[in-house]
Amino acid sequence: MTDIKSMNLSELTAYLTDNGFERFRAKQVLSWIKQDVTDFDSMRNLPRKLRDFLKADAYLACADIVRLQRSKLDDTVKYLFRLFDGEYVEGVLMHYHHGRTMCISSQVGCKMGCTFCATGKSGFSRSLTASEMIAQIRCAELDCGERISNVVLMGMGEPFDNYDNVIRFLKLVTCEDSLHIGMRHITVSTCGIVPRMREFADLQLQCGLSVSLHAPNDEARSRTMPVNRRYPIRELMEASRYYVEKTNRRITFEYALIDGENDSDATARELAKLLKGLLCHVNLIPVNNVTGSGYKKSSIKRQQAFVNRLSDLGINATVRRTLGSDIDASCGQLKRNFMKGDV
Ligand code: SAH
Ligand code: SF4
């Protein structure tokens, strides 16, 4: 079946003309998609022959909200979406003073197996299409009744393990024909798939890049992030420098502070040395609770000491505010396996 919601105007035009329909039909179809129709029969200005063809050959991707949890601590909302084949992903809507930010999933589960992450522990089913990434944003917009201005690919999955669909998503969602979200308002987060980081840099998109670092040396990083055995820190840093050179953009490093694991003063010094001279920002995230991981977040005092140590050494760092912790909507808490009773 053809996923027409992942196509841009010229692809849709080619698809329709190849199958014997007029060029101008593509604009009509896109306009119905923009009006959120969920079936081809609702595309009333299309001739019956075209509607029948689309019904037989194509589908309209969806992300149906099957559960919604609202935080009592802040306004964060966690959605559970059902995809067309019965798979589930989670997405999180956050409210900031500058607008609404949607954190979307790029895969059902994740193959990367980071030890601190619930998604990594829950296995992997498949990657999402561009249309399924867009659908998460659009469904949340329709639910909250407001426009979503910012998007982060920090939900379930490793975006660069689904590279082509993620790039397609970025190009599509920024189009006027689609949700028209500014590229500068989108951030992709990766655990460090080095060859894809380089390809991404070459594209010179105006979108943000975050790299999940979490440790300043290979020994410690490989212990929590298996991907480090494949792409060690030296290669990761070279790719990060390449990104900054190519794009002239600041790169963000995410660093989950784990009590007794990576939060000592000595580790802060090692981290500062690693990042010295690179146009970057360090986002410190007190590690969120994940059942069975055995990790505890660093004390507030330790978090502050770590930031101060980095700042003293000339590294730009802040502690990220935790949102939606009462509904398990924080970083690393989204998961693939849902209990039957959950839905
Ligand atoms: N796969 C991508 C993006 C999704 S994870 C990546 O790993 O970058 C989004 C962020 O949450 C990453 O920085 C990830 O390392 C972090 N994270 C995962 N589990 C966490 C946890 N338990 N506490 C805090 N941050 C966590
Ligand atoms: Fe996958 Fe990112 Fe979780 Fe690691 S932190 S398991 S890469 S989703």
Side-chain angles (χ1 to χ4, degrees), residues 34 44 55 64 87 91 96 106 124-125 166 196 204 237 259 264 307:
K34 207 164 178 183
R44 289 189 310 272
K55 277 196 273 183
D64 294 326
E87 293 283 4
Y96 292 104
S106 57
F124 172 83
S125 302
V166 164
R196 298 290 95 73
Q204 297 184 304
M237 295 317 296
D259 181 46
S264 70
V307 182

Side-chain angles (χ1 to χ4, degrees), residues 56-157:
D57 195 67
Y59 72 99
L60 293 164
C62 61
D64 294 326
I65 298 172
V66 290
R67 189 189 61 198
L68 183 158
Q69 291 165 279
R70 197 178 298 276
S71 169
K72 291 190 176 64
L73 306 173
D74 47 70
D75 260 343
T76 302
V77 177
K78 180 165 82 166
Y79 295 102
L80 177 64
F81 297 107
R82 187 174 29 229
L83 308 175
F84 77 99
D85 59 351
E87 293 283 4
Y88 295 95
V89 289
E90 293 184 309
V92 179
L93 179 64
M94 292 159 290
H95 303 243
Y96 292 104
H97 57 273
H98 56 266
R100 283 165 198 254
T101 297
M102 181 75 184
C103 173
I104 60 166
S105 293
S106 57
Q107 295 182 312
V108 183
C110 184
K111 293 180 214 155
M112 300 298 144
C114 303
T115 56
F116 43 76
C117 173
T119 308
K121 288 176 170 297
S122 64
F124 172 83
S125 302
R126 70 170 175 88
S127 285
L128 263 56
T129 59
S131 56
E132 288 171 330
M133 292 179 239
I134 293 177
Q136 293 171 60
I137 305 169
R138 187 60 193 146
C139 288
E141 273 189 345
L142 290 171
D143 175 66
C144 75
E146 280 181 58
R147 184 167 187 272
I148 288 169
S149 52
N150 295 273
V151 174
V152 294
L153 278 82
M154 295 187 185
M156 294 161 60

Side-chain angles (χ1 to χ4, degrees), residues 11 16 22 83 173 236 281 290 321 328:
E11 288 163 341
L16 294 179
E22 304 101 320
L83 308 175
V173 78
L236 181 64
H281 179 87
V290 167
R321 193 158 59 104
D328 281 356

Side-chain angles (χ1 to χ4, degrees), residues 110 114 116-118 153-159 189-191 210-212 214 225 254 256 285-290 320 331-333:
C110 184
C114 303
F116 43 76
C117 173
L153 278 82
M154 295 187 185
M156 294 161 60
E158 166 49 43
S189 177
T190 179
C191 64
S210 285
V211 174
S212 301
H214 305 312
M225 301 182 71
E254 284 156 296
I285 319 162
V287 76
N288 293 306
N289 187 35
V290 167
R320 184 190 284 172
C331 303
Q333 294 186 311

Side-chain angles (χ1 to χ4, degrees), residues 26-43:
K27 273 251 179 217
Q28 292 180 324
V29 171
L30 277 187
S31 136
W32 285 114
I33 290 175
K34 207 164 178 183
Q35 290 169 63
D36 304 302
V37 298
T38 52
D39 63 277
F40 292 113
D41 277 327
S42 305
M43 301 185 172

